Amino acid sequence: MIQLKHVSQVFNGRQGRVHALENINLEVERNEFVTLVGRSGCGKSTMLRMVAGLLQPTSGTITVAGEPVTKPRRDVSFMFQRPALLPWRTVLENVLLPVEILRLEKAPHLRRAHELLELVGLTGFEKRLPHELSGGMQQRVSLCRSLIQNPNVLLMDEPFSALDALTREELSVELQRIRMEQATTIIFVTHSIEEAVLLADRVVVLSARPGRLRKVVPVDIPRPRTLGHNAHADRVTEVSAELHELLMPAPMGDIA
């Protein structure tokens, strides 16, 4: 579904050239949930913007559904770290914003909006304004807006990072449920190892800048997953420990 071949990204700034990503080769299968983890500045968000067509790679190629990515696509949706809801628009109007921008037929998408709001537990809040909602509820609205056009690919850039720990886990469980009901390929950027393990089919670990693909860790744990006591808690802990070890700096004695 998504393929990156020998992708590198170099930025030219006032302080010189910054190598953000180097020689990334990665394939994401249709309907797969992949999380990207790595230290700050390793190029996770840069990779996501390139897949979205918001940024062109310095070298290498990116394809979605076999087509080269040269600009934003209608079948690829992007969910940012902040909800970015328009404060003067109601919940329903914010969800329908992409429909207006893309000039899509309103009636079927209105039904779709109500279905999505029901899916995330916001039935009855359609006429509320963003300031009347909690942070977690605002992100649920943002998620509905990202899904309104039935995207084939959903790109999520640390969408839960500004929320408290309990709300983050609650939304992670909610996203698992939505993903099981909605056929969508997802790439999810996070700094949280626990979040990565809860959500992913595979976790892509990037090295420190320049970001290189260090390892891809499969997460073969039945869904739904939680961080609490359950039949698969030992496996969740095991995968989390492996990711922690991969992300830790190398000891000084191991540096050539």
Side-chain angles (χ1 to χ4, degrees):
M1 183 63 185
I2 303 170
Q3 189 172 60
L4 291 83
K5 287 186 176 181
H6 305 295
V7 169
S8 297
Q9 182 60 253
V10 179
F11 296 107
N12 293 308
R14 294 180 179 178
Q15 305 300 319
R17 291 163 62 86
V18 176
H19 292 258
L21 289 166
E22 186 171 287
N23 197 33
I24 299 293
N25 291 283
L26 178 67
E27 290 192 31
V28 179
E29 301 295 331
R30 186 177 298 276
N31 300 335
E32 188 177 21
F33 197 127
V34 168
T35 56
L36 305 181
V37 299
R39 290 184 169 271
S40 295
C42 73
K44 301 184 298 296
S45 295
T46 296
M47 189 188 303
L48 215 62
R49 292 200 300 272
M50 289 192 293
V51 175
L54 301 173
L55 178 67
Q56 293 301 306
T58 304
S59 61
T61 59
I62 301 174
T63 59
V64 172
E67 298 179 359
V69 176
T70 59
K71 61 182 180 180
R73 298 166 51 111
R74 286 193 174 192
D75 63 341
V76 177
S77 187
F78 202 114
M79 185 175 173
F80 295 94
Q81 184 174 351
R82 300 285 180 177
L85 303 179
L86 298 181
W88 60 88
R89 294 178 68 108
T90 66
V91 164
L92 184 60
E93 289 168 344
N94 268 290
V95 173
L96 289 170
L97 183 60
V99 176
E100 296 179 24
I101 293 173
L102 298 173
R103 298 183 179 179
L104 304 175
E105 188 179 350
K106 186 173 181 179
H109 288 91
L110 181 59
R111 291 192 296 272
R112 167 78 170 158
H114 284 290
E115 291 170 0
L116 288 169
L117 288 170
E118 181 179 5
L119 194 62
V120 301
L122 287 179
T123 297
F125 289 85
E126 293 87 350
K127 295 183 179 180
R128 298 288 185 92
L129 293 172
H131 76 269
E132 299 178 283
L133 308 177
S134 67
M137 294 169 75
Q138 289 183 28
Q139 277 298 57
R140 290 170 190 262
V141 176
S142 180
L143 179 58
C144 290
R145 184 177 59 190
S146 299
L147 293 170
I148 188 65
Q149 68 219 62
N150 291 305
N152 290 324
V153 176
L154 177 58
L155 307 174
M156 310 181 76
D157 192 3
E158 299 190 68
F160 306 150
S161 62
L163 304 174
D164 64 83
L166 288 176
T167 303
R168 287 182 72 157
E169 185 175 353
E170 179 184 79
L171 285 179
S172 294
V173 172
E174 191 76 22
L175 183 57
Q176 290 180 69
R177 183 174 64 84
I178 291 171
R179 186 256 177 174
M180 292 168 72
E181 296 182 17
Q182 310 282 324
T184 306
T185 304
I186 300 176
I187 302 181
F188 187 105
V189 168
T190 180
H191 275 100
S192 168
I193 289 175
E194 290 74 19
E195 199 168 70
V197 175
L198 280 180
L199 294 172
D201 297 313
R202 291 187 298 155
V203 180
V204 174
V205 182
L206 296 179
S207 68
R209 191 169 64 209
R212 302 182 182 93
L213 198 144
R214 184 169 185 187
K215 189 172 182 180
V216 178
V217 179
V219 186
D220 53 347
I221 303 172
R223 300 177 189 275
R225 305 168 188 161
T226 69
L227 293 177
H229 295 289
N230 58 74
H232 313 293
D234 289 345
R235 182 60 181 144
V236 170
T237 301
E238 182 183 338
V239 176
S240 298
E242 180 180 0
L243 293 173
H244 272 290
E245 187 172 335
L246 286 167
L247 291 169
M248 289 292 288
M252 292 301 293
D254 292 348
I255 297 176

